[in-house]
Protein backbone atom coordinates (compact mmCIF):
# COMPACT_ATOMS: atom_id res chain seq x y z
CA UNK A 1 0.00 0.00 0.00
CA UNK A 2 1.31 3.45 -0.93
CA UNK A 3 1.91 5.68 2.06
CA UNK A 4 0.33 9.13 1.70
CA UNK A 5 1.13 12.41 3.42
CA UNK A 6 -0.96 15.58 3.14
CA UNK A 7 0.56 19.06 3.45
CA UNK A 8 -1.03 22.48 2.99
CA UNK A 9 0.77 25.50 1.51
CA UNK A 10 -0.22 28.94 0.32
CA UNK A 11 1.28 28.26 -3.12
CA UNK A 12 2.32 25.11 -4.98
CA UNK A 13 4.67 25.47 -7.93
CA UNK A 14 4.81 22.61 -10.42
CA UNK A 15 8.28 22.67 -12.02
CA UNK A 16 11.61 23.93 -10.67
CA UNK A 17 13.20 25.43 -13.75
CA UNK A 18 14.09 29.15 -13.87
CA UNK A 19 10.41 30.03 -14.17
CA UNK A 20 9.26 27.98 -11.20
CA UNK A 21 12.21 29.21 -9.16
CA UNK A 22 11.28 32.83 -9.83
CA UNK A 23 7.62 32.31 -8.97
CA UNK A 24 8.69 30.71 -5.70
CA UNK A 25 11.17 33.53 -5.01
CA UNK A 26 8.46 36.19 -5.39
CA UNK A 27 5.82 34.35 -3.36
CA UNK A 28 8.30 33.59 -0.57
CA UNK A 29 9.41 37.24 -0.55
CA UNK A 30 5.75 38.10 0.07
CA UNK A 31 5.65 35.75 3.04
CA UNK A 32 3.61 32.97 1.41
CA UNK A 33 4.49 29.37 2.23
CA UNK A 34 5.55 27.73 -1.04
CA UNK A 35 6.15 24.18 -2.24
CA UNK A 36 8.10 23.42 -5.41
CA UNK A 37 7.67 20.06 -7.18
CA UNK A 38 10.32 18.74 -9.57
CA UNK A 39 10.72 15.35 -11.27
CA UNK A 40 14.17 16.03 -12.76
CA UNK A 41 16.89 18.54 -11.86
CA UNK A 42 16.21 21.75 -9.97
CA UNK A 43 17.23 24.48 -12.41
CA UNK A 44 15.43 22.94 -15.36
CA UNK A 45 16.09 22.88 -19.09
CA UNK A 46 17.96 26.17 -19.23
CA UNK A 47 20.59 25.22 -16.67
CA UNK A 48 21.42 21.75 -17.96
CA UNK A 49 20.28 21.27 -21.55
CA UNK A 50 19.68 24.67 -23.14
CA UNK A 51 20.88 28.20 -22.37
CA UNK A 52 23.93 27.51 -20.23
CA UNK A 53 25.53 24.49 -21.94
CA UNK A 54 24.75 25.77 -25.44
CA UNK A 55 26.33 29.17 -24.79
CA UNK A 56 29.33 27.50 -23.14
CA UNK A 57 29.80 25.51 -26.37
CA UNK A 58 29.40 28.59 -28.55
CA UNK A 59 31.56 31.11 -26.69
CA UNK A 60 34.94 29.62 -27.81
CA UNK A 61 33.57 29.35 -31.34
CA UNK A 62 32.65 33.04 -31.53
CA UNK A 63 35.83 34.16 -29.74
CA UNK A 64 37.99 32.27 -32.26
CA UNK A 65 35.99 33.60 -35.20
CA UNK A 66 36.47 37.17 -33.93
CA UNK A 67 40.18 36.58 -33.31
CA UNK A 68 40.67 35.24 -36.83
CA UNK A 69 39.46 38.56 -38.20
CA UNK A 70 42.04 40.62 -36.32
CA UNK A 71 45.44 41.29 -37.94
CA UNK A 72 48.17 40.52 -35.44
CA UNK A 73 46.10 37.79 -33.82
CA UNK A 74 44.61 35.81 -36.69
CA UNK A 75 47.73 33.75 -37.41
CA UNK A 76 47.86 32.57 -33.80
CA UNK A 77 44.35 31.06 -33.86
CA UNK A 78 44.24 29.19 -37.16
CA UNK A 79 44.37 25.78 -35.53
CA UNK A 80 41.38 23.69 -34.43
CA UNK A 81 39.55 24.19 -31.17
CA UNK A 82 40.47 21.89 -28.31
CA UNK A 83 37.17 20.02 -28.35
CA UNK A 84 37.88 18.15 -25.13
CA UNK A 85 38.56 21.41 -23.27
CA UNK A 86 35.43 23.04 -24.71
CA UNK A 87 33.27 20.09 -23.67
CA UNK A 88 34.85 20.06 -20.20
CA UNK A 89 34.06 23.75 -19.72
CA UNK A 90 30.51 23.08 -20.96
CA UNK A 91 30.20 20.39 -18.30
CA UNK A 92 31.21 22.90 -15.63
CA UNK A 93 28.57 25.36 -16.80
CA UNK A 94 25.98 22.58 -16.62
CA UNK A 95 27.19 21.83 -13.06
CA UNK A 96 28.03 18.31 -14.29
CA UNK A 97 24.27 17.73 -14.29
CA UNK A 98 24.03 17.96 -10.51
CA UNK A 99 21.56 20.36 -8.91
CA UNK A 100 23.05 20.73 -5.41
CA UNK A 101 23.63 24.48 -5.84
CA UNK A 102 20.10 25.11 -7.05
CA UNK A 103 18.67 23.08 -4.19
CA UNK A 104 20.65 25.18 -1.72
CA UNK A 105 19.22 28.31 -3.33
CA UNK A 106 15.66 27.01 -2.88
CA UNK A 107 16.44 26.18 0.73
CA UNK A 108 17.82 29.70 1.15
CA UNK A 109 14.57 31.37 0.16
CA UNK A 110 12.57 29.07 2.43
CA UNK A 111 10.70 27.08 -0.24
CA UNK A 112 10.05 23.36 0.29
CA UNK A 113 11.26 21.05 -2.48
CA UNK A 114 9.30 17.89 -3.20
CA UNK A 115 11.02 15.54 -5.65
CA UNK A 116 8.85 13.33 -7.80
CA UNK A 117 6.23 13.45 -10.51
CA UNK A 118 3.54 15.99 -9.67
CA UNK A 119 0.03 15.90 -11.09
CA UNK A 120 -3.01 18.03 -10.47
CA UNK A 121 -5.58 15.86 -8.72
CA UNK A 122 -8.37 18.39 -8.44
CA UNK A 123 -8.81 22.08 -7.67
CA UNK A 124 -5.85 23.54 -5.71
CA UNK A 125 -4.40 20.05 -5.24
CA UNK A 126 -1.18 18.44 -6.50
CA UNK A 127 -0.31 14.81 -5.85
CA UNK A 128 3.38 13.96 -5.92
CA UNK A 129 4.61 10.41 -6.55
CA UNK A 130 8.06 10.38 -4.97
CA UNK A 131 11.01 8.23 -6.04
CA UNK A 132 10.82 6.44 -2.67
CA UNK A 133 7.25 5.30 -3.31
CA UNK A 134 5.87 7.90 -0.93
CA UNK A 135 2.84 9.84 -2.13
CA UNK A 136 2.26 13.40 -0.99
CA UNK A 137 -0.90 15.43 -1.48
CA UNK A 138 -0.12 19.14 -1.54
CA UNK A 139 -3.01 21.57 -1.23
CA UNK A 140 -2.73 25.26 -2.12
CA UNK A 141 -4.70 27.88 -0.23
CA UNK A 142 -4.20 30.52 -2.92
CA UNK A 143 -2.59 29.28 -6.14
CA UNK A 144 -1.02 26.47 -8.13
CA UNK A 145 1.48 27.62 -10.75
CA UNK A 146 2.21 25.28 -13.66
CA UNK A 147 5.82 25.94 -14.73
CA UNK A 148 6.65 22.65 -16.44
CA UNK A 149 8.10 24.17 -19.62
CA UNK A 150 8.32 22.52 -23.00
CA UNK A 151 10.01 19.58 -24.68
CA UNK A 152 11.46 18.94 -28.10
CA UNK A 153 8.83 18.05 -30.69
CA UNK A 154 9.85 15.19 -32.99
CA UNK A 155 8.20 14.64 -36.37
CA UNK A 156 5.99 11.65 -37.02
CA UNK A 157 8.46 9.57 -39.05
CA UNK A 158 8.21 5.76 -39.03
CA UNK A 159 10.96 4.10 -37.03
CA UNK A 160 12.40 7.39 -35.77
CA UNK A 161 12.75 6.11 -32.21
CA UNK A 162 14.99 3.28 -33.44
CA UNK A 163 17.36 5.86 -34.95
CA UNK A 164 17.95 7.41 -31.50
CA UNK A 165 17.90 10.99 -32.84
CA UNK A 166 19.36 13.94 -31.02
CA UNK A 167 17.07 16.61 -29.67
CA UNK A 168 18.30 19.84 -28.13
CA UNK A 169 19.15 17.89 -24.98
CA UNK A 170 21.56 15.50 -26.67
CA UNK A 171 23.00 18.29 -28.83
CA UNK A 172 24.01 20.34 -25.80
CA UNK A 173 25.20 17.43 -23.62
CA UNK A 174 26.98 15.10 -26.09
CA UNK A 175 30.30 13.78 -24.80
CA UNK A 176 31.98 13.37 -28.19
CA UNK A 177 32.10 15.31 -31.45
CA UNK A 178 30.29 13.39 -34.20
CA UNK A 179 32.21 13.12 -37.45
CA UNK A 180 29.10 13.99 -39.46
CA UNK A 181 26.00 15.70 -38.07
CA UNK A 182 22.70 16.16 -39.88
CA UNK A 183 20.66 19.06 -38.48
CA UNK A 184 16.96 19.14 -39.38
CA UNK A 185 15.42 22.55 -38.82
CA UNK A 186 16.27 26.19 -39.37
CA UNK A 187 15.47 27.94 -36.10
CA UNK A 188 17.55 28.99 -33.11
CA UNK A 189 18.52 25.52 -31.87
CA UNK A 190 19.37 24.35 -35.38
CA UNK A 191 21.56 27.32 -36.26
CA UNK A 192 23.33 27.52 -32.90
CA UNK A 193 24.11 23.82 -32.75
CA UNK A 194 25.19 23.74 -36.40
CA UNK A 195 27.56 26.62 -35.60
CA UNK A 196 28.97 24.91 -32.51
CA UNK A 197 29.47 21.40 -33.81
CA UNK A 198 30.85 22.49 -37.19
CA UNK A 199 33.50 24.53 -35.35
CA UNK A 200 34.25 21.61 -33.03
CA UNK A 201 35.04 19.34 -35.97
CA UNK A 202 31.78 17.89 -37.30
CA UNK A 203 30.86 17.96 -40.96
CA UNK A 204 27.40 19.54 -40.65
CA UNK A 205 24.52 19.36 -43.11
CA UNK A 206 21.51 21.56 -42.33
CA UNK A 207 18.16 20.59 -43.86
CA UNK A 208 15.56 23.35 -43.79
CA UNK A 209 12.01 22.75 -44.99
CA UNK A 210 11.37 26.46 -45.49
CA UNK A 211 13.07 29.07 -47.62
CA UNK A 212 15.72 30.07 -45.14
CA UNK A 213 17.11 30.09 -41.62
CA UNK A 214 15.66 32.01 -38.67
CA UNK A 215 12.32 32.53 -40.38
CA UNK A 216 10.86 34.45 -37.42
CA UNK A 217 13.45 37.20 -37.80
CA UNK A 218 14.02 39.64 -40.64
CA UNK A 219 15.05 37.69 -43.77
CA UNK A 220 18.55 39.15 -43.82
CA UNK A 221 19.33 37.57 -40.44
CA UNK A 222 18.96 34.04 -41.76
CA UNK A 223 20.73 34.92 -44.99
CA UNK A 224 23.82 36.24 -43.21
CA UNK A 225 23.95 33.28 -40.82
CA UNK A 226 23.58 30.83 -43.73
CA UNK A 227 26.44 32.50 -45.61
CA UNK A 228 28.67 32.23 -42.56
CA UNK A 229 27.81 28.57 -41.94
CA UNK A 230 28.55 27.76 -45.57
CA UNK A 231 31.92 29.50 -45.44
CA UNK A 232 32.73 27.55 -42.28
CA UNK A 233 32.23 24.31 -44.20
CA UNK A 234 28.65 23.39 -43.41
CA UNK A 235 26.12 22.60 -46.12
CA UNK A 236 22.78 24.40 -45.86
CA UNK A 237 19.91 23.02 -47.96
CA UNK A 238 16.69 25.02 -47.97
CA UNK A 239 13.33 23.84 -49.27
CA UNK A 240 14.27 20.33 -48.18
CA UNK A 241 12.01 17.98 -46.25
CA UNK A 242 13.01 14.72 -44.58
CA UNK A 243 10.75 11.84 -45.55
CA UNK A 244 12.46 8.95 -43.77
CA UNK A 245 15.35 8.22 -41.41
CA UNK A 246 17.11 4.94 -40.68
CA UNK A 247 20.27 3.90 -38.88
CA UNK A 248 22.28 1.29 -40.77
CA UNK A 249 25.37 -0.20 -39.10
CA UNK A 250 25.67 2.89 -36.94
CA UNK A 251 25.23 5.35 -39.82
CA UNK A 252 22.16 7.57 -40.00
CA UNK A 253 20.59 7.82 -43.45
CA UNK A 254 18.09 10.62 -44.08
CA UNK A 255 16.10 10.53 -47.31
CA UNK A 256 14.77 13.88 -48.53
CA UNK A 257 11.61 14.66 -50.44
CA UNK A 258 13.61 14.66 -53.68
CA UNK A 259 15.07 11.21 -52.95
CA UNK A 260 18.54 12.37 -51.91
CA UNK A 261 20.28 10.20 -49.32
CA UNK A 262 22.27 12.07 -46.69
CA UNK A 263 24.49 10.16 -44.29
CA UNK A 264 25.65 11.15 -40.83
CA UNK A 265 26.84 9.76 -37.54
CA UNK A 266 24.11 11.61 -35.64
CA UNK A 267 20.97 13.49 -36.61
CA UNK A 268 19.53 16.41 -34.65
CA UNK A 269 15.86 17.27 -35.01
CA UNK A 270 15.28 20.90 -34.04
CA UNK A 271 11.75 21.12 -35.38
CA UNK A 272 9.76 22.81 -32.66
CA UNK A 273 8.58 22.49 -29.07
CA UNK A 274 5.56 20.97 -27.33
CA UNK A 275 4.20 21.81 -23.86
CA UNK A 276 5.07 19.47 -21.03
CA UNK A 277 1.46 19.23 -19.92
CA UNK A 278 0.51 15.77 -21.18
CA UNK A 279 0.80 14.02 -17.79
CA UNK A 280 0.19 16.68 -15.14
CA UNK A 281 -3.47 15.97 -14.44
CA UNK A 282 -5.06 18.74 -16.48
CA UNK A 283 -8.10 16.54 -17.06
CA UNK A 284 -8.90 16.68 -13.33
CA UNK A 285 -9.59 20.42 -13.60
CA UNK A 286 -11.40 20.38 -16.95
CA UNK A 287 -8.42 21.10 -19.22
CA UNK A 288 -6.98 19.11 -22.10
CA UNK A 289 -3.82 17.09 -21.38
CA UNK A 290 -0.92 18.02 -23.65
CA UNK A 291 -2.33 21.44 -24.50
CA UNK A 292 -0.84 24.90 -24.29
CA UNK A 293 -2.54 26.79 -21.47
CA UNK A 294 -4.23 30.06 -22.36
CA UNK A 295 -3.71 32.83 -19.80
CA UNK A 296 -4.56 36.48 -19.23
CA UNK A 297 -1.91 39.14 -18.64
CA UNK A 298 -1.75 38.20 -14.95
CA UNK A 299 -0.74 34.69 -16.09
CA UNK A 300 -3.91 33.16 -14.65
CA UNK A 301 -5.38 30.34 -16.72
CA UNK A 302 -8.52 31.39 -18.55
CA UNK A 303 -11.63 30.56 -16.54
CA UNK A 304 -9.76 29.79 -13.31
CA UNK A 305 -9.42 31.72 -10.06
CA UNK A 306 -6.43 29.77 -8.69
CA UNK A 307 -4.47 28.13 -11.54
CA UNK A 308 -1.57 29.96 -13.20
CA UNK A 309 0.53 28.88 -16.21
CA UNK A 310 3.89 30.58 -16.46
CA UNK A 311 6.67 30.32 -19.04
CA UNK A 312 6.68 28.06 -22.09
CA UNK A 313 3.45 26.28 -21.15
CA UNK A 314 1.35 29.34 -22.02
CA UNK A 315 2.98 29.68 -25.47
CA UNK A 316 3.31 33.46 -25.24
CA UNK A 317 7.10 33.58 -25.68
CA UNK A 318 9.22 30.41 -25.44
CA UNK A 319 12.31 32.10 -24.03
CA UNK A 320 13.90 31.74 -20.60
CA UNK A 321 14.14 35.47 -19.97
CA UNK A 322 10.49 35.99 -20.90
CA UNK A 323 9.46 33.11 -18.65
CA UNK A 324 11.37 34.64 -15.75
CA UNK A 325 9.72 37.99 -16.50
CA UNK A 326 6.32 36.30 -16.41
CA UNK A 327 7.28 34.56 -13.17
CA UNK A 328 8.00 37.87 -11.47
CA UNK A 329 4.60 39.14 -12.61
CA UNK A 330 2.80 35.95 -11.53
CA UNK A 331 4.47 35.96 -8.12
CA UNK A 332 3.44 39.57 -7.52
CA UNK A 333 -0.12 38.86 -8.68
CA UNK A 334 -0.49 35.78 -6.49
CA UNK A 335 0.79 37.72 -3.48
CA UNK A 336 -1.53 40.66 -4.13
CA UNK A 337 -4.57 38.47 -4.57
CA UNK A 338 -3.69 36.48 -1.45
CA UNK A 339 -3.59 39.75 0.48
CA UNK A 340 -6.81 40.87 -1.24
CA UNK A 341 -5.01 43.91 -2.69
CA UNK A 342 -6.52 45.26 -5.95
CA UNK A 343 -4.38 44.86 -9.06
CA UNK A 344 -4.08 48.50 -9.97
CA UNK A 345 -3.49 49.38 -13.61
CA UNK A 346 -1.89 52.60 -12.34
CA UNK A 347 0.95 50.63 -10.73
CA UNK A 348 4.04 52.41 -12.08
CA UNK A 349 6.09 49.20 -12.12
CA UNK A 350 3.45 47.32 -14.11
CA UNK A 351 4.04 44.48 -11.67
CA UNK A 352 0.65 42.88 -12.25
CA UNK A 353 0.47 42.59 -16.05
CA UNK A 354 2.82 40.84 -18.47
CA UNK A 355 2.51 43.43 -21.22
CA UNK A 356 6.02 43.05 -22.69
CA UNK A 357 5.02 39.66 -24.10
CA UNK A 358 2.79 41.45 -26.60
CA UNK A 359 5.21 43.89 -28.18
CA UNK A 360 8.75 43.96 -26.78
CA UNK A 361 10.13 40.40 -26.71
CA UNK A 362 13.93 40.31 -27.21
CA UNK A 363 15.96 37.37 -28.49
CA UNK A 364 19.60 36.70 -29.28
CA UNK A 365 20.87 33.92 -31.55
CA UNK A 366 24.50 33.18 -30.65
CA UNK A 367 25.73 32.29 -34.10
CA UNK A 368 28.54 33.87 -36.15
CA UNK A 369 27.43 36.55 -36.83
CA UNK A 370 25.14 37.07 -33.87
CA UNK A 371 21.52 37.87 -34.65
CA UNK A 372 19.41 39.83 -32.18
CA UNK A 373 15.91 41.23 -32.38
CA UNK A 374 13.35 42.93 -30.17
CA UNK A 375 9.71 43.52 -30.95
CA UNK A 376 8.18 42.85 -34.35
CA UNK A 377 9.75 42.23 -37.72
CA UNK A 378 8.55 44.35 -40.63
CA UNK A 379 6.30 41.54 -41.87
CA UNK A 380 4.85 40.93 -38.41
CA UNK A 381 4.14 44.63 -37.88
CA UNK A 382 2.38 44.90 -41.24
CA UNK A 383 0.40 41.73 -40.57
CA UNK A 384 -0.70 43.19 -37.22
CA UNK A 385 -2.16 46.18 -39.06
CA UNK A 386 0.35 48.87 -38.07
CA UNK A 387 1.40 51.55 -40.55
CA UNK A 388 5.15 51.18 -40.43
CA UNK A 389 8.31 52.13 -42.27
CA UNK A 390 11.57 50.23 -42.09
CA UNK A 391 15.05 51.65 -42.49
CA UNK A 392 18.20 49.57 -42.88
CA UNK A 393 21.89 50.29 -42.43
CA UNK A 394 24.98 48.26 -43.18
CA UNK A 395 27.04 47.93 -40.02
CA UNK A 396 30.19 48.53 -42.04
CA UNK A 397 29.27 52.21 -41.65
CA UNK A 398 29.70 51.91 -37.87
CA UNK A 399 33.26 52.42 -36.65
CA UNK A 400 32.70 50.35 -33.51
CA UNK A 401 31.67 47.33 -35.59
CA UNK A 402 34.79 47.61 -37.71
CA UNK A 403 36.98 47.39 -34.62
CA UNK A 404 35.76 43.83 -34.09
CA UNK A 405 37.84 42.78 -37.10
CA UNK A 406 37.96 42.50 -40.86
CA UNK A 407 35.30 40.76 -42.89
CA UNK A 408 32.49 40.97 -40.35
CA UNK A 409 28.99 40.85 -41.79
CA UNK A 410 26.43 43.16 -40.27
CA UNK A 411 23.11 44.82 -40.89
CA UNK A 412 20.51 46.60 -38.79
CA UNK A 413 16.83 47.40 -39.31
CA UNK A 414 14.48 49.67 -37.41
CA UNK A 415 10.70 49.34 -37.88
CA UNK A 416 8.92 52.59 -37.01
CA UNK A 417 5.20 53.07 -36.43
CA UNK A 418 4.55 56.16 -38.56
CA UNK A 419 1.38 57.04 -36.67
CA UNK A 420 2.87 56.82 -33.18
CA UNK A 421 6.45 57.71 -34.18
CA UNK A 422 7.68 54.93 -31.89
CA UNK A 423 9.52 51.70 -32.59
CA UNK A 424 7.73 48.46 -33.31
CA UNK A 425 10.86 46.39 -33.85
CA UNK A 426 14.63 46.42 -34.20
CA UNK A 427 16.96 43.75 -35.61
CA UNK A 428 20.74 43.69 -35.48
CA UNK A 429 23.02 41.14 -37.13
CA UNK A 430 26.74 41.45 -36.54
CA UNK A 431 29.52 41.26 -33.98
CA UNK A 432 28.54 41.78 -30.36
CA UNK A 433 24.94 42.72 -31.09
CA UNK A 434 23.64 40.47 -28.31
CA UNK A 435 24.80 43.14 -25.87
CA UNK A 436 23.16 45.84 -27.98
CA UNK A 437 19.61 44.52 -28.09
CA UNK A 438 18.57 45.61 -24.60
CA UNK A 439 18.66 49.21 -25.75
CA UNK A 440 16.08 48.25 -28.37
CA UNK A 441 13.95 46.54 -25.74
CA UNK A 442 14.03 49.70 -23.61
CA UNK A 443 13.04 51.89 -26.56
CA UNK A 444 10.15 49.60 -27.55
CA UNK A 445 8.84 48.80 -24.06
CA UNK A 446 9.17 52.47 -23.07
CA UNK A 447 7.45 53.64 -26.27
CA UNK A 448 10.18 56.24 -26.68
CA UNK A 449 9.44 58.62 -29.59
CA UNK A 450 12.08 58.42 -32.30
CA UNK A 451 12.73 62.17 -32.00
CA UNK A 452 13.75 61.60 -28.36
CA UNK A 453 16.04 58.73 -29.31
CA UNK A 454 17.96 61.29 -31.37
CA UNK A 455 19.11 62.76 -28.03
CA UNK A 456 20.35 59.43 -26.64
CA UNK A 457 23.97 59.88 -27.73
CA UNK A 458 25.93 56.66 -28.41
CA UNK A 459 29.53 56.51 -27.26
CA UNK A 460 32.21 56.59 -29.95
CA UNK A 461 33.59 54.27 -31.19
CA UNK A 462 31.13 51.60 -30.11
CA UNK A 463 28.73 49.46 -32.07
CA UNK A 464 25.92 51.43 -30.39
CA UNK A 465 26.44 54.01 -33.12
CA UNK A 466 24.23 51.72 -35.17
CA UNK A 467 21.39 53.62 -33.48
CA UNK A 468 22.67 56.93 -34.84
CA UNK A 469 22.93 55.54 -38.35
CA UNK A 470 19.39 54.11 -38.18
CA UNK A 471 17.94 57.39 -36.91
CA UNK A 472 19.79 59.35 -39.60
CA UNK A 473 18.41 57.00 -42.25
CA UNK A 474 14.88 57.45 -40.92
CA UNK A 475 15.13 61.25 -40.61
CA UNK A 476 16.71 61.73 -44.03
CA UNK A 477 14.56 59.30 -46.00
Amino acid sequence: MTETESIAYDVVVLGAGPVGENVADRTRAAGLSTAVVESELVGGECSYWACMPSKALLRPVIARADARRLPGLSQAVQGPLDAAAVLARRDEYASHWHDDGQVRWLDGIGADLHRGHGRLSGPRTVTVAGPDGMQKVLTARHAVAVCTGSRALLPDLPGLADVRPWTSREATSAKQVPGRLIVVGGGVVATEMATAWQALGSKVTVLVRGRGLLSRMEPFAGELVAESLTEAGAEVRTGTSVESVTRQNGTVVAVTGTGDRIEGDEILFATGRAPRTDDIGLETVGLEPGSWLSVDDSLRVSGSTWLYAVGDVNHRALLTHQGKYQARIAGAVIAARAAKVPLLESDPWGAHAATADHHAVPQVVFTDPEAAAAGLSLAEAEQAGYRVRAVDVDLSSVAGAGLYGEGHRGRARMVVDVDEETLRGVTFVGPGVGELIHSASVAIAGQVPVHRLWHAVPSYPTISEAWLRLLEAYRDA
Side-chain angles (χ1 to χ4, degrees):
M1 180 180 294
T2 301
E3 189 176 350
T4 302
E5 179 183 5
S6 298
I7 314 172
Y9 291 93
D10 292 323
V11 180
V12 176
V13 179
L14 195 54
V19 175
E21 288 177 325
N22 274 268
V23 171
D25 184 44
R26 293 296 84 210
T27 56
R28 284 297 304 129
L32 300 177
S33 62
T34 302
V36 180
V37 181
E38 178 54 57
S39 61
E40 293 187 297
L41 296 176
V42 176
E45 200 81 9
C46 177
S47 298
Y48 308 104
W49 300 287
C51 317
M52 297 309 294
S54 67
K55 302 318 169 278
L57 288 173
L58 285 159
R59 181 59 197 147
V61 175
I62 304 305
R64 183 183 66 164
D66 285 341
R68 284 180 169 180
R69 297 184 178 103
L70 286 170
L73 181 58
S74 60
Q75 291 303 312
V77 289
Q78 289 303 313
L81 290 168
D82 183 339
V86 172
L87 295 180
R89 183 171 183 265
R90 182 274 317 271
D91 291 353
E92 292 180 7
Y93 268 82
S95 301
H96 298 277
W97 292 272
H98 294 296
D99 63 1
D100 305 26
Q102 302 274 21
V103 171
R104 285 194 296 272
W105 181 86
L106 270 184
D107 288 342
I109 66 170
D112 289 350
L113 173 63
H114 298 272
R115 291 193 184 272
H117 182 66
R119 300 182 84 256
L120 290 163
S121 48
R124 304 175 189 268
T125 306
V126 173
T127 299
V128 183
D132 57 359
M134 181 75 175
Q135 182 171 280
K136 298 177 181 177
V137 178
L138 311 180
T139 57
R141 299 181 189 92
H142 299 296
V144 174
V146 176
C147 309
T148 49
S150 63
R151 58 177 174 78
L153 180 64
L154 290 170
D156 186 17
L157 291 176
L160 183 60
D162 297 330
V163 176
R164 302 182 304 281
W166 279 10
T167 67
S168 53
R169 284 197 169 194
E170 290 76 20
T172 56
S173 63
K175 299 300 184 183
Q176 294 182 329
V177 179
R180 300 163 299 172
L181 176 63
I182 303 168
V183 177
V184 183
V188 177
V189 172
T191 53
E192 288 189 346
M193 291 298 94
T195 298
W197 290 109
Q198 177 69 37
L200 287 168
S202 289
K203 171 57 181 174
V204 173
T205 303
V206 183
L207 307 178
V208 190
R209 184 170 56 184
R211 288 184 286 183
L213 303 179
L214 301 176
S215 60
R216 294 187 178 181
M217 286 185 160
E218 299 287 6
F220 64 80
E223 292 165 5
L224 291 174
V225 171
E227 287 176 14
S228 182
L229 278 170
T230 301
E231 288 184 7
E235 181 181 3
V236 180
R237 297 192 185 189
T238 58
T240 302
S241 62
V242 175
E243 300 300 321
S244 67
V245 182
T246 57
R247 190 180 285 272
Q248 304 168 4
N249 300 320
T251 296
V252 175
V253 179
V255 179
T256 71
T258 57
D260 291 342
R261 290 168 54 89
I262 301 169
E263 296 187 352
D265 297 293
E266 300 291 351
I267 184 167
L268 163 63
F269 279 91
T271 49
R273 307 289 295 179
R276 295 184 64 181
T277 60
D278 49 321
D279 189 24
I280 61 167
L282 291 183
E283 68 280 2
T284 69
V285 293
L287 297 171
E288 182 182 352
S291 64
W292 301 103
L293 298 176
S294 177
V295 297
D296 60 21
D297 281 350
S298 72
L299 289 312
R300 190 163 61 178
V301 172
S302 302
S304 177
T305 60
W306 57 271
L307 185 64
Y308 293 75
V310 193
D312 283 11
V313 290
N314 62 40
H315 209 232
R316 287 165 67 115
L318 277 65
L319 296 160
T320 296
H321 47 272
Q322 291 300 122
K324 291 167 73 172
Y325 159 72
Q326 291 178 10
R328 296 189 291 271
I329 300 292
V333 167
I334 291 168
R337 286 177 172 150
K340 294 182 169 49
V341 175
L343 304 185
L344 300 177
E345 293 184 5
S346 60
D347 171 21
W349 281 84
H352 300 120
T355 56
D357 288 343
H358 299 303
H359 60 271
V361 175
Q363 182 171 24
V364 180
V365 186
F366 293 83
T367 46
D368 176 32
E370 284 185 353
L376 305 177
S377 67
L378 174 61
E380 288 171 336
E382 290 176 336
Q383 186 176 9
Y386 298 115
R387 286 204 317 131
V388 292
R389 181 157 65 89
V391 293
D392 291 20
V393 298
D394 190 318
L395 289 190
S396 64
S397 65
V398 177
L403 289 173
Y404 275 82
E406 299 176 350
H408 262 300
R409 297 174 176 83
R411 187 172 171 186
R413 170 171 289 178
M414 184 172 73
V415 179
V416 181
D417 186 314
V418 297
D419 294 319
E420 301 291 334
E421 283 287 292
T422 57
L423 301 185
R424 290 293 174 185
V426 180
T427 300
F428 298 108
V429 180
V433 297
E435 299 298 340
L436 186 59
I437 201 61
H438 187 60
S439 56
S441 298
V442 171
I444 297 168
Q447 298 177 306
V448 182
V450 288
H451 68 268
R452 289 304 307 163
L453 289 175
W454 184 253
H455 299 282
V457 181
S459 298
Y460 181 87
T462 69
I463 198 170
S464 292
E465 274 205 308
W467 280 108
L468 176 59
R469 301 291 170 249
L470 286 167
L471 291 166
E472 287 175 335
Y474 181 76
R475 181 198 61 183
D476 299 338

